[in-house]
Amino acid sequence: MKGGKLLIFSAPSGSGKTTIVRHLLKQPELNLAFSVSAASRPRRGKEKNGIDYYFKTVSEFKQHIRNDDFLEWEEVYRDNFYGTLKSEVERLWAEGKNVIFDIDVAGGLRIKKKFPKETLAVFVKPPSVDELKIRLKKRSTESEDKINMRIAKASVELATAPQFDKIIKNYDLDVALEEAYELVNNFVNSEDK
């Protein structure tokens, strides 16, 4: 696999990484395309197959694993798989794009390890775990049990922040958006690759 640059944005759920990624995608000069992940979980709300995720059954996902179709994958919760299809990244690189990921911490670090020079890995840090819980509850998309599982996972994820190239502290969204833009703009325009 060879192509453009890879931009990883990882964080605990509710940190604001998706908002940051969506903002960056609207900046045409960055030449970004979003890597749609595969997921074995049910759709939420108005999510669309091929836009938000490539929705797979658990058995389909496991077949992709056996076929070595993933750049990275993880069973985030029991029978709840997420992964990056190699074909997705190859497709976007073939279009001449830099690929941006809104991805969990473990997956982001795996991609960084496979493509160390081509990848900028950014960790988005929330103001606090309490603020995360408030943001997740405001979404009204998950049960209290799911929210508590995400909060428990957040503590583990926060400990990985030093393994990333850069950390953006999302205390003020406008400041975080500006910082993310500067990081990505500098990286995609650098000669290193």
Side-chain angles (χ1 to χ4, degrees):
M1 291 179 64
K2 271 191 176 259
K5 295 193 178 178
L6 303 173
L7 301 132
I8 307 288
F9 279 81
S10 296
S13 288
S15 297
K17 73 180 180 303
T18 301
T19 302
I20 291 170
V21 167
R22 285 182 181 150
H23 171 75
L24 293 170
L25 283 163
K26 291 177 186 170
Q27 314 309 313
E29 68 279 9
L30 298 177
N31 191 33
L32 300 176
F34 182 68
S35 173
V36 177
S37 296
S40 68
R41 69 157 176 76
R43 294 180 204 197
R44 287 187 208 132
K46 295 180 180 179
E47 290 179 331
K48 291 185 173 84
N49 188 52
I51 304 279
D52 299 290
Y53 288 96
Y54 293 110
F55 292 99
K56 308 284 183 187
T57 64
V58 172
S59 61
E60 287 171 335
F61 203 102
K62 288 180 177 178
Q63 185 60 50
H64 279 296
I65 293 168
R66 286 190 292 275
N67 294 344
D68 192 30
D69 292 337
F70 289 109
L71 190 55
E72 61 77 32
W73 65 271
E74 182 178 8
E75 187 174 16
V76 178
Y77 304 109
R78 189 171 177 273
D79 281 341
N80 212 329
F81 293 91
Y82 291 85
T84 303
L85 290 160
K86 291 175 184 175
S87 59
E88 176 72 354
V89 175
E90 288 166 349
R91 177 182 71 79
L92 297 173
W93 273 349
E95 292 176 8
K97 297 289 189 179
N98 296 304
V99 182
I100 191 165
F101 299 83
D102 174 342
I103 191 171
D104 83 308
V105 169
L109 291 172
R110 281 192 203 104
I111 290 172
K112 174 70 179 177
K113 190 174 181 181
K114 286 183 181 177
F115 298 98
K117 289 187 174 135
E118 298 92 340
T119 304
L120 173 67
V122 180
F123 188 91
V124 180
K125 196 171 187 179
S128 67
V129 173
D130 289 339
E131 176 64 21
L132 272 186
K133 193 164 193 169
I134 291 166
R135 290 177 183 180
L136 290 171
K137 283 184 176 188
K138 278 185 186 173
R139 284 184 185 174
S140 301
T141 57
E142 295 176 327
S143 68
E144 188 71 25
D145 285 347
K146 278 274 192 194
I147 290 171
N148 289 334
M149 281 172 48
R150 289 191 183 278
I151 294 301
K153 190 173 186 240
S155 300
V156 174
E157 291 172 325
L158 287 165
T160 68
Q163 296 175 51
F164 285 75
D165 299 317
K166 300 288 181 184
I167 298 171
I168 293 176
K169 295 176 182 161
N170 188 11
Y171 299 96
D172 177 314
L173 183 58
D174 290 333
V175 173
L177 292 174
E178 193 174 311
E179 190 177 344
Y181 177 84
E182 288 301 317
L183 286 172
V184 170
N185 189 44
N186 290 339
F187 186 71
V188 298
N189 291 306
S190 69
E191 296 302 314
D192 298 341
K193 208 169 83 165

